[in-house]
Amino acid sequence: MQTLRENRAAFERLRLRPRVLVDVSKLDMSTTILGQRVSMPICVAPTAMCRMAHADGEIGIAKAATTHGTCVCLSSWSTTSLEDVAQATPDALRWFQLYVYKDRVVTERLVRRAEAHGYRAILLTVDTPLLGKREPDVRNRFELPPHLTMANFVSEGPKSEGKQESGLALYVASLIDRTLTWEDIKWLQSITKLPIVVKGIITAEDTKIAVEHGVSGIMVSNHGARQLDGVPATIEALPEVVATVQLMNQNRPADKQVEVYMDGGVRRGTDVLKALALGARAVFVGRPVLWGLAYKGEEGVFNVLQLLKDELALAMALAGCVRVQELRERPVVVHET
Amino acid sequence: MQTLRENRAAFERLRLRPRVLVDVSKLDMSTTILGQRVSMPICVAPTAMCRMAHADGEIGIAKAATTHGTCVCLSSWSTTSLEDVAQATPDALRWFQLYVYKDRVVTERLVRRAEAHGYRAILLTVDTPLLGKREPDVRNRFELPPHLTMANFVSEGPKSEGKQESGLALYVASLIDRTLTWEDIKWLQSITKLPIVVKGIITAEDTKIAVEHGVSGIMVSNHGARQLDGVPATIEALPEVVATVQLMNQNRPADKQVEVYMDGGVRRGTDVLKALALGARAVFVGRPVLWGLAYKGEEGVFNVLQLLKDELALAMALAGCVRVQELRERPVVVHET
Amino acid sequence: MQTLRENRAAFERLRLRPRVLVDVSKLDMSTTILGQRVSMPICVAPTAMCRMAHADGEIGIAKAATTHGTCVCLSSWSTTSLEDVAQATPDALRWFQLYVYKDRVVTERLVRRAEAHGYRAILLTVDTPLLGKREPDVRNRFELPPHLTMANFVSEGPKSEGKQESGLALYVASLIDRTLTWEDIKWLQSITKLPIVVKGIITAEDTKIAVEHGVSGIMVSNHGARQLDGVPATIEALPEVVATVQLMNQNRPADKQVEVYMDGGVRRGTDVLKALALGARAVFVGRPVLWGLAYKGEEGVFNVLQLLKDELALAMALAGCVRVQELRERPVVVHET
Amino acid sequence: MQTLRENRAAFERLRLRPRVLVDVSKLDMSTTILGQRVSMPICVAPTAMCRMAHADGEIGIAKAATTHGTCVCLSSWSTTSLEDVAQATPDALRWFQLYVYKDRVVTERLVRRAEAHGYRAILLTVDTPLLGKREPDVRNRFELPPHLTMANFVSEGPKSEGKQESGLALYVASLIDRTLTWEDIKWLQSITKLPIVVKGIITAEDTKIAVEHGVSGIMVSNHGARQLDGVPATIEALPEVVATVQLMNQNRPADKQVEVYMDGGVRRGTDVLKALALGARAVFVGRPVLWGLAYKGEEGVFNVLQLLKDELALAMALAGCVRVQELRERPVVVHET
Ligand SMILES: Cc1cc2nc3c(=O)[nH]c(=O)nc-3n(C[C@H](O)[C@H](O)[C@H](O)COP(=O)(O)O)c2cc1C
Ligand SMILES: Cc1cc2nc3c(=O)[nH]c(=O)nc-3n(C[C@H](O)[C@H](O)[C@H](O)COP(=O)(O)O)c2cc1C
Ligand SMILES: Cc1cc2nc3c(=O)[nH]c(=O)nc-3n(C[C@H](O)[C@H](O)[C@H](O)COP(=O)(O)O)c2cc1C
Ligand SMILES: Cc1cc2nc3c(=O)[nH]c(=O)nc-3n(C[C@H](O)[C@H](O)[C@H](O)COP(=O)(O)O)c2cc1C
C-alpha cells in the first residue's frame, strides 16, 4: 500500500528550519476555522462507526475535542445519531461529514438535521463514489456488529451478505450516489446555508473548480490512504492546493477567503508544524483519535489530543514560532536535498 | 535481480492524480487491440509449458480469458498444441507467440498453422536469442516433466542432458535462431498476412526500426525480468516507446496506426491505470495468470482476471475516469518528486 | 526520530575525493580554536551529568581531553562543580557551556565563576528554551540519582515529581529562561570578557544575526538530535552556516574572524574529514565520549579520543592531506549524485 | 562501510539499454590490454597471500587465468615468489603489482626480478601509503600463518607483535614508503622498461597528472573498498577518469594511447558490460577469484572465471552487442532516473 506508507514517509522527507533566541514564553496556538476560534490547529477527522472501538463512541470523541476547545467532525456513518451527539455536546464546534446517497430525500434530510442541530459546516466527502479496496475488510467480511446501527439512518447497516466481501463496500455500491458531480454542489447550497468544505481533493485542477463552485474550505485528504492507492501523500499534495487557493483568494473579499486544511498521517507535533508551514490552516487527525478511543474512551481521546497539543507547543517553541500565523510567513520547512 | 525488483518498484514510484466529482456510474473499460474489441485493457501474456502448473493448462487459460472477453497469447512452447487450444476455444481472441527456430521450415509451418487456426496476430518475441540466466532453473536442472511435451512440435522438449544446466537454456541454444535480424521481419511478412507484434522492445531506437519495418504493434516487455538483468522496468521504458510511436503514427493512415502494449509486473488495477495513462493501449499479465492456474485451473485464472478487472474498474472510478481513452488525455500519472 | 537517523545518514551521503602520491609521512592535525592550539580538530562536547555514566565523571573526561591536548566543554549541568574540574585539570583548555536561568543572578554568578576559574569561552546553548521530547526519559521518569547533584548549583536537581514525566524537562520548564533573545547576548557580553560561542544554530539566517551580535564562534549543532526532531543533520546544515560566516568574515579584521564548529553524529575519522572539508574548524563529539566514560572512566574516554585521532590521521593520509588547512582548499568532499 | 556497499549498489543504479534483432551468433569477447590479446575483458586483480585461501595459491590462480587466456596480476605480497609463479606459468600474461618499500634497494630488486621473469607490466598501487582500517583484521590480530611467507622477500611477514592490532597494518606502517610522490614514477621509469599502470586513482585530477607522467594505464580502483572508506564506488568514478583520458589521448600517438581499467564489486557479466560501456577497457576481479580458490583451488578459480565469461557472453548477446568495442560506441548504459 504505497500511499499509506507515503502519508508518513513524505513527512519525514521534510526538514524544519528552526530559529533560535526568540522569546517563546508566550505561545498562542489558537486559530480560527471558518470564523470559529479553536484552541489549536488540530481537529478531529470524521471516522465511521466509532462505537466499534469503544462504547464512548462519537460522543466520547466529541466531548474530548470540546474540552480541548477544538473542532470535531461527525461521520455520516456514525453509530450515534447526530442528534444524540449534539445533545451530549451542545457547545461543541461540530462539523457534519456528508456522504451523498442515491436517495436524495435521505440526503437532504440528513443535511437539514445537521443544520438544525448546530453543526457548523457540511464536510462533503468527494473521494468515495465507491469504497476503496480494503483487503482486511474483504478478508474479514466486514459488517457492523449486531448491537450497533448506522444511527443517522433507519435503514440497515453494512452486511457482507454471505459473500466474501466487505459489507461496507457493498453498502456504498448500493446506496451512495456515484453520479455526483460539481453541479450537485449547487443543489447542496440550495438546501443549506451551512458553509461547505470539500474533503478529498489533492490536485490544483480540482481545487480551482471547487473554489469556482463557492466552497468555503478544502480538506486536502486521501481518506487516510483508504481510497485510491497510488495517490501522493497529502503533505505532498498540499502545496499545489494552497498555491491555487492563495491565487484565487486574491480576487475574493476578506470575508470570503477559502481555507485549506489537511489530514493524513499526522502523528506528531512536528507533522502539524510542517503542514501549517506548507499552508494548511489546521490539520485533522483520524486514526490517532480512534487509538485513544479504543484505549480508554473519552479520556483516551483527550490524552491523544493533549499529546499532540503539547508536542505542537514544544515544536513551535523549539522552532522559534510563537503564533501559528508566523509559520506561514517564513520558510520553516524545506524539502530534503 | 535488479530488474525483477524494478518491475514492481517503478510502478510504486508513480503517483496518480485522481479527479473528483465525476459521474462514474457508467464505466467503459473496453478497448480494441489490432481492431478487435476486448472487454478490458488487460490481456494474457504468453507463458510456456502451462500444464506444469495445472492440468487445465493452456486451454484453461484460453477459456478463462475468453469468458472475460479478452485476448490470450499462446506460447510457441505450449504444452497443448495450438490446434487443440483453437478447437477448445473457437471464439477466442488468440495471438500466437512465435520463437523463430534455426530450422525455418519448422518456423514457417508454425506460423501457417497459427494463421490457419484463427490466431489473429503473430507475437514475435525478440528478446530471446539465448535464454536469460535463470539460476533456479540451473540449480534444479530444469526439464519438461516426462508426461508433457512441447505440443507444437514433434521434436523432444528441454532436457538438462545430465548436466548442471537448465534444460530450457540448452534447448534455446541449440534450436533457436540467434542470427535473427530485422530483415527477417520481411521474411515473416512474406509467409503470413497476420499482423506482427514485436515483443521485447524497450528503447526508442528499436521502436523506430520496428515501425519502419511495418510491425502492427510493439509489446514493451523485458520478458518479466527473465532475460537480461539490469534493463529498466517496463513501466519506465514505456514512455520513450510511446513517444516514438506517437510521432511516427502522425505520418501513417488512420487504419495503420501502430499500437503499444506493455507487460511486466502488473499486479494491481492501479498498475493498469498507470500503464494506460503512460500510453499503453493494453497490458498483458504473465505470472498472476499462472498463479491462478496453479491454484485452481481455469477457475483460478478466471478469478485472477476478475480481480484485476474489478480493481481497474474501481481505480478508474476513484480516479474519475470513465473510459480508458480518457486516461491518455489528462495527466493521471506523474513521477514522484 | 528522523534527525537522529539523519545525523548519521547524511555523513554517508557524502563522498570523499582522495588524492594519491602525496608524501604523507608528516601529518599535522593540529589547529587553533579561538586562538588556542589543539593537537587535533576533535574536541569534547558538553554533556550533562557525566557521573551517571562513571564515577570519573566530568573530571575524567577533562583529564582525558587534556592528555590529548584538546578542548573540553563543561556542561552547566555537570555533576562536578566547575571549580572542582578546574582544580583537577589546571592546564586544560576548558570551555563553559551556559544555560541561561530565569534567575539572572544565578546565571551571572555562573559566568563569573567560569571566567574566574580559567574557562576560555562561554558556549551558549541556544536551542533549549524547553527540553526536547525525549521519550525514554519520559517513560523512565528521568531523575538525577540521589547520590549526585547539579554541582554548579545549590538548588535541587531534576525530579520527576511523581509525574509520568522527565524530571529534566520539568526542571528546564521551571528554571530556564525561555524569553532569551539576541538582546541577551549583549547582556552576556557586559558581564564577561570571555569570547562567546553560540551552540545550536543551523540556518544562514541565524548565523548572520549571531555574527552581527559579535559572537566569536558558531557551533552548528542540533543538540545530538535531542531537541527539535525534523531538523536537518548538522553536516547538511554546515555549508550554509560556513558560507554565511565566510562572507561576513571578509569585512572583519584578521583577529576577529568568526569560527565555525560542528557536532552531531561524528563517529569516524572520515566524518571529521568530511566536516572539516565542508568548512568546520573543529568538530565536537558527545555520545562517543560518554560511551568511553561508561566503559572505563578516564581511560575509556582517552581511548575513544585516540581512536578518533588515529582514524583522522589515517583518513588524512589516505586522502592525501597533510594539514587540516588543506582540507578546506580543495574539494575533498562531494555530495552523492 | 559505506564504500563496500556502494561498490555493489552503484552497479545496480545503472540501467542497460539492450538492442534486439541483432545477429549474435558470433560473439567476440577478446580485446587487448597494453597490446596483449586477452580472450575476454575480465582479468584477475592482485590479492595478497593467496595460499591462506588454498594451497594452490598464486600458482593456481595464474594457471586458471592462463587457461582462460586472460591476464593475472601477482601481488607484491604473494605467498609464492614471483619466480615460482613465472616458472609454473611460463606462457601466462602476468603483471606484477608493486608496493614501494622505504628500502628502495628492495623495491628496485623486486622490479628487476619481475621484468626478468616475464611480467609484462608494473601495476603500481598508489592508494596504500598506510593500510586502511580493516576492523576484522584488528580484532583477529591478523598475522600470516607460520607455514607461509611473503615469498618475494627474505624479511619476516606481518606479525601483530602481541598488540591488539592488524599485523599487516604494522607491516605497512614500518616498511612501505609513505613519502611516495609522482616524482617517484620517474625513478621507476628509470629502472624498468616495463609499462606502468597506476592502481587506485579515482579522480579526474589525479588522472591528468598520471597521464602527464607517462603511465601506460590507469586502474580505477578503491582497493575493493579496503582503503579509505567514504570514497565513491569505482563504477561511479570511472566516467570522470575515462573522460579525462580520452581528452588527453587525442594529443597522443596511436601507439601511446593510455588505457583505463577498473576493479571493485564486479560480480556479474552485466557488471562487466556496464563497466565496458562506461569506458573501461577491461575489468579486474579480486574477491570472486579468492572465493573460487578457497572453494576448490585452481579449478575453483577456473570456474569463477568461466561463470563470468559465460555471463558476459550472454549479457552481450542479450544486449545485442557482438564485439566489446561496440559497447563503447552506443549508449548501452544509462543512469537511473
Ligand atoms: C476507521 C476510519 C473510518 C473513517 N471513516 C470516514 C468517514 O466515515 N467519512 C470520511 O469522510 N472519512 C473517513 N475516514 C477518513 C478520515 O476522515 C481521515 O481522512 C483520515 O483518517 C486521515 O488520516 P489519518 O487516519 O492518517 O489521520 C475514516 C478513516 C478511518 C481510519
Ligand atoms: C513461467 C513463464 C514463462 C514464460 N514463457 C514465455 C514464452 O514462452 N514466450 C514469451 O514470449 N514470453 C514468456 N514469458 C514472458 C511473459 O510473456 C511476459 O513477458 C512476462 O511474464 C510479463 O511479466 P509478469 O510475469 O510480471 O506479468 C514467460 C514468463 C513466465 C513467468
Ligand atoms: C547525554 C547527553 C547530554 C547532553 N547534555 C548537554 C548539555 O548539558 N548541554 C548542551 O549544550 N548539550 C548537551 N548535549 C548535546 C551535546 O553537547 C552535543 O551537541 C551532541 O551530543 C553532539 O552529538 P553526538 O552525541 O552525536 O556527538 C548532550 C548530549 C547528550 C548525548
Ligand atoms: C584479500 C584481498 C587482498 C588484496 N591484496 C591486494 C594487494 O596485495 N595489492 C593490491 O594492490 N590490491 C590488493 N587487493 C585489492 C584488489 O587488487 C582489488 O583492487 C579489489 O579486490 C577489487 O575489488 P573486488 O574484490 O570487489 O573485486 C586485495 C583485495 C583483497 C580482497
Side-chain angles (χ1 to χ4, degrees):
Chain A
M1 302 288 96
Q2 167 185 355
T3 300
L4 190 60
R5 251 183 350 252
E6 269 294 291
N7 265 5
R8 284 299 309 145
F11 272 116
E12 305 219 338
R13 288 196 297 262
L14 297 172
R15 302 267 179 279
L16 297 172
R17 287 179 73 75
R19 299 295 297 273
V20 297
L21 292 180
V22 172
D23 175 350
V24 294
S25 56
K26 291 191 202 73
L27 292 182
D28 181 1
M29 286 191 290
S30 76
T31 189
T32 61
I33 53 172
L34 299 182
Q36 307 285 328
R37 186 144 296 270
V38 283
S39 70
M40 60 176 174
I42 305 171
C43 309
V44 177
T47 49
M49 309 177 212
C50 297
R51 290 175 61 199
M52 288 185 69
H54 191 281
D56 285 2
E58 289 81 5
I59 289 177
I61 292 178
K63 282 189 173 169
T66 305
T67 313
H68 270 297
T70 194
C71 170
V72 61
C73 303
L74 188 73
S75 168
S76 278
W77 297 337
S78 60
T79 40
T80 315
S81 73
L82 64 89
E83 288 83 1
D84 287 352
V85 175
Q87 196 179 339
T89 58
D91 306 328
L93 175 54
R94 279 174 269 104
W95 289 3
F96 184 74
Q97 178 271 325
L98 181 70
Y99 282 126
V100 175
Y101 282 70
K102 290 179 183 170
D103 185 337
R104 290 295 171 94
V105 178
V106 165
T107 312
E108 183 173 339
R109 199 158 24 185
L110 212 53
V111 173
R112 294 202 190 276
R113 284 161 60 199
E115 185 164 353
H117 286 82
Y119 291 79
R120 304 290 180 86
I122 297 298
L123 183 61
L124 177 70
T125 300
V126 294
D127 59 12
T128 314
L130 285 159
L131 203 73
K133 187 158 184 195
R134 302 169 187 178
E135 282 163 353
D137 286 9
V138 177
R139 267 188 225 107
N140 302 329
R141 308 181 186 202
F142 177 88
E143 297 192 343
L144 195 57
H147 68 288
L148 297 178
T149 61
M150 298 283 243
N152 291 321
F153 306 93
V154 290
S155 61
E156 261 206 295
K159 298 284 164 216
S160 76
E161 299 172 12
K163 298 190 196 159
Q164 174 79 19
E165 250 302 359
S166 154
L168 191 58
L170 295 173
Y171 179 93
V172 172
S174 76
L175 296 178
I176 297 301
D177 187 357
R178 68 181 88 162
T179 73
L180 207 72
T181 67
W182 289 105
E183 288 308 294
D184 297 293
I185 300 280
K186 295 184 191 157
W187 167 76
L188 199 58
Q189 286 161 338
S190 76
I191 62 166
T192 181
K193 286 269 156 304
L194 288 178
I196 295 170
V197 176
V198 282
K199 174 172 184 280
I201 284 181
I202 53 175
T203 64
E205 295 89 320
D206 279 338
T207 302
K208 186 158 175 292
I209 304 179
V211 175
E212 286 166 356
H213 279 75
V215 305
S216 302
I218 290 174
M219 177 88 73
V220 175
S221 173
N222 52 30
H223 214 112
R226 293 159 65 85
Q227 287 291 104
L228 182 59
D229 191 38
V231 304
T234 44
I235 193 70
E236 233 176 47
L238 180 63
E240 72 178 79
V241 173
V242 166
T244 307
V245 168
Q246 273 174 353
L247 213 68
M248 298 181 81
N249 268 344
Q250 290 173 5
N251 303 322
R252 298 171 66 92
D255 63 331
K256 296 275 184 203
Q257 297 285 297
V258 176
E259 300 185 344
V260 179
Y261 322 103
M262 71 84 71
D263 71 21
V266 175
R267 300 292 177 266
R268 290 285 183 179
T270 47
D271 299 334
V272 184
L273 204 73
K274 288 169 180 176
L276 267 57
L278 291 178
R281 188 161 189 93
V283 304
F284 286 69
V285 285
R287 289 177 185 81
V289 165
L290 292 180
W291 296 332
L293 185 69
Y295 165 57
K296 225 179 184 173
E298 178 188 339
E299 186 186 335
V301 177
F302 181 87
N303 289 349
V304 161
L305 293 175
Q306 187 65 48
L307 266 174
L308 283 169
K309 186 186 264 179
D310 290 348
E311 285 192 9
L312 176 60
L314 183 57
M316 283 177 64
L318 296 183
C321 291
V322 298
R323 289 169 305 113
V324 294
Q325 176 63 17
E326 280 170 47
L327 286 168
R328 264 162 270 155
E329 290 161 8
R330 60 177 183 80
V332 181
V333 158
V334 289
H335 283 80
E336 69 179 349
T337 44
Chain B
M1 302 289 95
Q2 168 186 355
T3 299
L4 190 60
R5 254 184 346 253
E6 269 295 292
N7 265 6
R8 285 299 308 144
F11 272 115
E12 304 219 338
R13 287 196 298 262
L14 297 173
R15 304 266 179 281
L16 295 173
R17 288 179 72 76
R19 298 295 298 273
V20 298
L21 292 179
V22 171
D23 175 349
V24 293
S25 57
K26 289 190 203 74
L27 292 181
D28 182 0
M29 286 190 289
S30 76
T31 189
T32 62
I33 54 172
L34 297 182
Q36 307 287 328
R37 186 144 296 272
V38 283
S39 70
M40 59 176 173
I42 305 171
C43 309
V44 178
T47 48
M49 310 175 211
C50 297
R51 290 176 60 200
M52 287 185 69
H54 191 279
D56 285 2
E58 288 81 6
I59 289 178
I61 292 177
K63 282 189 173 168
T66 306
T67 314
H68 271 297
T70 194
C71 170
V72 60
C73 302
L74 188 73
S75 168
S76 277
W77 297 337
S78 60
T79 40
T80 316
S81 73
L82 65 89
E83 289 81 3
D84 288 353
V85 175
Q87 195 178 341
T89 59
D91 306 327
L93 175 54
R94 279 174 270 106
W95 289 4
F96 184 74
Q97 178 271 322
L98 181 69
Y99 282 127
V100 175
Y101 281 69
K102 290 178 183 171
D103 184 338
R104 289 296 171 92
V105 177
V106 164
T107 312
E108 183 173 339
R109 198 159 27 186
L110 212 53
V111 172
R112 294 201 189 278
R113 285 161 59 200
E115 185 164 353
H117 288 82
Y119 292 78
R120 304 291 180 87
I122 296 297
L123 182 61
L124 177 70
T125 300
V126 294
D127 59 11
T128 314
L130 285 159
L131 203 73
K133 188 160 183 192
R134 304 170 186 177
E135 282 163 353
D137 285 10
V138 177
R139 268 188 224 106
N140 302 329
R141 307 181 187 202
F142 176 88
E143 297 192 344
L144 195 56
H147 68 287
L148 297 178
T149 62
M150 299 284 244
N152 291 321
F153 305 94
V154 289
S155 60
E156 259 205 294
K159 297 285 165 214
S160 76
E161 299 171 13
K163 299 190 195 159
Q164 175 77 23
E165 250 303 0
S166 153
L168 192 57
L170 295 173
Y171 179 94
V172 172
S174 76
L175 296 179
I176 298 301
D177 186 357
R178 67 182 89 161
T179 73
L180 208 70
T181 66
W182 289 105
E183 288 308 295
D184 297 293
I185 300 280
K186 295 184 191 157
W187 166 77
L188 199 58
Q189 286 160 336
S190 77
I191 61 167
T192 182
K193 287 269 156 303
L194 288 177
I196 295 170
V197 175
V198 282
K199 174 171 185 280
I201 283 181
I202 52 176
T203 63
E205 295 89 319
D206 279 337
T207 302
K208 187 159 175 289
I209 304 179
V211 176
E212 286 166 357
H213 279 76
V215 305
S216 301
I218 290 175
M219 177 87 73
V220 175
S221 172
N222 53 30
H223 214 113
R226 294 159 64 85
Q227 287 292 103
L228 183 58
D229 191 38
V231 303
T234 44
I235 193 70
E236 232 176 47
L238 180 63
E240 73 178 78
V241 173
V242 166
T244 307
V245 168
Q246 274 173 352
L247 213 69
M248 297 182 79
N249 269 344
Q250 290 172 5
N251 303 321
R252 297 171 65 92
D255 63 330
K256 297 275 184 205
Q257 297 286 297
V258 176
E259 299 186 344
V260 179
Y261 323 103
M262 71 84 72
D263 71 20
V266 175
R267 300 293 178 266
R268 290 284 182 181
T270 47
D271 298 335
V272 184
L273 204 73
K274 289 169 180 177
L276 267 57
L278 292 179
R281 188 159 190 95
V283 304
F284 287 69
V285 285
R287 290 177 185 81
V289 165
L290 291 179
W291 297 331
L293 184 69
Y295 165 59
K296 224 178 184 174
E298 177 186 340
E299 186 185 334
V301 177
F302 180 87
N303 289 349
V304 161
L305 292 175
Q306 188 65 47
L307 266 174
L308 282 170
K309 186 186 264 178
D310 290 348
E311 285 192 9
L312 176 60
L314 183 57
M316 283 177 64
L318 296 183
C321 291
V322 298
R323 288 169 305 112
V324 295
Q325 176 62 17
E326 281 171 48
L327 286 167
R328 264 161 270 155
E329 289 161 10
R330 60 177 182 81
V332 181
V333 158
V334 288
H335 283 79
E336 70 179 348
T337 44
Chain C
M1 300 291 94
Q2 168 186 353
T3 300
L4 190 59
R5 252 184 347 253
E6 269 295 291
N7 265 5
R8 284 297 311 143
F11 273 115
E12 304 218 339
R13 288 196 297 263
L14 297 171
R15 302 267 180 281
L16 296 172
R17 287 180 72 75
R19 299 294 299 273
V20 298
L21 292 180
V22 171
D23 175 349
V24 294
S25 57
K26 290 191 202 74
L27 292 182
D28 182 2
M29 286 191 290
S30 76
T31 189
T32 62
I33 53 173
L34 299 182
Q36 308 286 329
R37 186 144 296 271
V38 283
S39 70
M40 59 175 173
I42 305 170
C43 309
V44 177
T47 49
M49 307 176 214
C50 296
R51 291 175 59 199
M52 287 185 70
H54 191 281
D56 285 1
E58 288 82 4
I59 289 177
I61 293 178
K63 282 189 173 168
T66 305
T67 313
H68 270 297
T70 194
C71 171
V72 61
C73 302
L74 187 74
S75 167
S76 277
W77 297 337
S78 60
T79 40
T80 315
S81 73
L82 65 88
E83 288 82 2
D84 287 353
V85 174
Q87 197 178 340
T89 59
D91 305 327
L93 176 53
R94 279 175 269 104
W95 289 3
F96 184 75
Q97 178 271 324
L98 182 69
Y99 282 127
V100 175
Y101 282 70
K102 290 179 183 172
D103 185 338
R104 290 296 171 94
V105 178
V106 164
T107 312
E108 185 174 337
R109 200 160 22 185
L110 212 53
V111 172
R112 293 202 190 276
R113 286 161 59 199
E115 185 164 353
H117 288 84
Y119 291 80
R120 304 290 180 86
I122 296 298
L123 182 61
L124 177 70
T125 300
V126 293
D127 59 11
T128 314
L130 285 159
L131 202 74
K133 187 158 184 196
R134 302 170 187 178
E135 282 162 353
D137 285 10
V138 176
R139 270 189 222 106
N140 301 330
R141 309 181 186 202
F142 177 87
E143 297 191 344
L144 196 56
H147 68 289
L148 297 177
T149 62
M150 299 283 244
N152 291 321
F153 305 94
V154 290
S155 61
E156 262 206 292
K159 298 283 163 214
S160 76
E161 299 172 13
K163 299 190 196 161
Q164 174 78 21
E165 249 303 358
S166 154
L168 192 58
L170 296 172
Y171 179 93
V172 171
S174 76
L175 296 178
I176 297 301
D177 187 357
R178 66 181 90 160
T179 72
L180 207 72
T181 67
W182 289 106
E183 288 308 294
D184 296 293
I185 301 279
K186 293 184 193 159
W187 166 77
L188 199 58
Q189 286 161 337
S190 77
I191 62 166
T192 181
K193 286 268 155 307
L194 288 177
I196 294 170
V197 176
V198 282
K199 174 172 184 280
I201 283 181
I202 52 176
T203 63
E205 295 90 319
D206 279 338
T207 302
K208 187 159 174 291
I209 303 179
V211 175
E212 285 167 357
H213 279 75
V215 305
S216 301
I218 290 175
M219 176 88 73
V220 175
S221 173
N222 53 29
H223 214 114
R226 293 158 65 85
Q227 287 293 105
L228 183 59
D229 190 39
V231 304
T234 44
I235 192 71
E236 234 177 46
L238 180 63
E240 72 179 78
V241 173
V242 166
T244 307
V245 168
Q246 274 174 352
L247 213 68
M248 297 181 81
N249 268 344
Q250 290 173 6
N251 303 321
R252 297 170 67 92
D255 63 332
K256 297 275 185 203
Q257 297 286 298
V258 176
E259 299 186 344
V260 180
Y261 323 103
M262 72 84 73
D263 71 20
V266 175
R267 301 292 177 268
R268 290 283 182 179
T270 47
D271 299 334
V272 184
L273 204 72
K274 288 169 180 178
L276 267 57
L278 292 178
R281 188 159 189 93
V283 304
F284 287 69
V285 286
R287 289 176 185 83
V289 165
L290 291 179
W291 297 331
L293 184 68
Y295 166 57
K296 225 178 183 176
E298 177 187 339
E299 186 185 334
V301 177
F302 181 87
N303 290 349
V304 162
L305 293 174
Q306 187 65 47
L307 267 173
L308 283 169
K309 186 185 263 178
D310 290 348
E311 285 192 10
L312 176 60
L314 183 57
M316 284 176 63
L318 296 183
C321 291
V322 298
R323 289 169 304 114
V324 294
Q325 176 62 17
E326 280 170 48
L327 286 166
R328 265 162 268 154
E329 290 161 7
R330 61 177 182 81
V332 181
V333 157
V334 288
H335 282 80
E336 70 179 349
T337 42
Chain D
M1 300 290 95
Q2 168 186 353
T3 299
L4 190 60
R5 253 184 347 254
E6 270 293 292
N7 265 5
R8 284 298 310 143
F11 272 115
E12 304 219 339
R13 288 195 298 263
L14 297 172
R15 304 266 179 280
L16 296 173
R17 288 179 71 77
R19 299 295 300 273
V20 298
L21 292 179
V22 171
D23 174 349
V24 293
S25 58
K26 290 189 203 75
L27 292 181
D28 181 0
M29 286 190 289
S30 76
T31 188
T32 62
I33 53 173
L34 299 181
Q36 307 286 329
R37 186 145 295 272
V38 283
S39 70
M40 59 176 173
I42 305 170
C43 309
V44 178
T47 48
M49 308 176 212
C50 297
R51 290 176 58 200
M52 287 186 69
H54 190 280
D56 284 3
E58 289 81 5
I59 290 178
I61 293 178
K63 282 189 173 168
T66 306
T67 314
H68 270 297
T70 193
C71 171
V72 61
C73 303
L74 187 73
S75 168
S76 278
W77 298 336
S78 60
T79 40
T80 315
S81 73
L82 66 89
E83 287 82 2
D84 288 353
V85 175
Q87 195 179 341
T89 59
D91 306 327
L93 175 52
R94 279 175 270 105
W95 288 4
F96 184 74
Q97 179 270 324
L98 181 69
Y99 282 126
V100 176
Y101 282 69
K102 289 178 185 173
D103 185 338
R104 289 295 171 94
V105 178
V106 164
T107 312
E108 183 172 338
R109 200 159 24 186
L110 212 53
V111 173
R112 294 202 190 276
R113 286 160 60 199
E115 185 164 353
H117 287 83
Y119 291 79
R120 303 291 180 87
I122 296 298
L123 182 61
L124 178 70
T125 299
V126 293
D127 58 12
T128 314
L130 286 159
L131 203 73
K133 188 160 183 194
R134 303 170 186 177
E135 282 162 354
D137 285 11
V138 177
R139 268 188 223 106
N140 302 330
R141 308 182 186 201
F142 176 88
E143 298 190 343
L144 195 57
H147 68 287
L148 297 178
T149 61
M150 299 283 244
N152 291 321
F153 305 93
V154 290
S155 61
E156 260 206 293
K159 297 286 163 213
S160 76
E161 298 172 12
K163 298 190 197 160
Q164 174 78 22
E165 250 303 0
S166 154
L168 192 57
L170 295 173
Y171 178 94
V172 172
S174 76
L175 296 178
I176 297 301
D177 187 357
R178 67 181 89 162
T179 72
L180 208 70
T181 67
W182 289 105
E183 288 307 295
D184 297 294
I185 301 280
K186 294 182 193 159
W187 167 77
L188 199 57
Q189 286 160 337
S190 76
I191 61 167
T192 182
K193 286 268 154 306
L194 288 177
I196 295 170
V197 176
V198 282
K199 174 171 184 280
I201 283 181
I202 52 176
T203 64
E205 295 89 319
D206 279 337
T207 302
K208 187 158 173 292
I209 304 179
V211 175
E212 286 166 357
H213 279 75
V215 305
S216 302
I218 290 176
M219 176 88 73
V220 176
S221 172
N222 54 29
H223 214 114
R226 294 158 65 85
Q227 286 293 104
L228 183 59
D229 191 39
V231 304
T234 45
I235 192 71
E236 234 177 46
L238 180 63
E240 72 178 77
V241 173
V242 166
T244 306
V245 168
Q246 273 173 352
L247 213 68
M248 296 181 81
N249 268 344
Q250 289 173 6
N251 303 321
R252 297 169 67 92
D255 63 331
K256 297 276 184 203
Q257 297 285 297
V258 176
E259 299 186 345
V260 179
Y261 323 103
M262 72 85 72
D263 71 21
V266 175
R267 300 292 177 266
R268 290 284 182 179
T270 47
D271 299 334
V272 183
L273 204 72
K274 289 169 180 178
L276 267 57
L278 291 178
R281 188 159 190 95
V283 304
F284 287 69
V285 285
R287 289 177 185 82
V289 165
L290 291 180
W291 298 332
L293 184 68
Y295 165 58
K296 225 178 183 174
E298 177 187 339
E299 187 185 334
V301 177
F302 181 87
N303 290 349
V304 162
L305 292 175
Q306 187 65 48
L307 267 174
L308 283 169
K309 186 185 264 178
D310 290 348
E311 285 192 10
L312 176 60
L314 184 56
M316 283 177 63
L318 296 183
C321 291
V322 298
R323 289 169 304 112
V324 295
Q325 176 61 19
E326 281 171 47
L327 287 168
R328 266 162 269 155
E329 289 161 9
R330 60 178 182 82
V332 181
V333 158
V334 287
H335 283 79
E336 70 179 349
T337 43

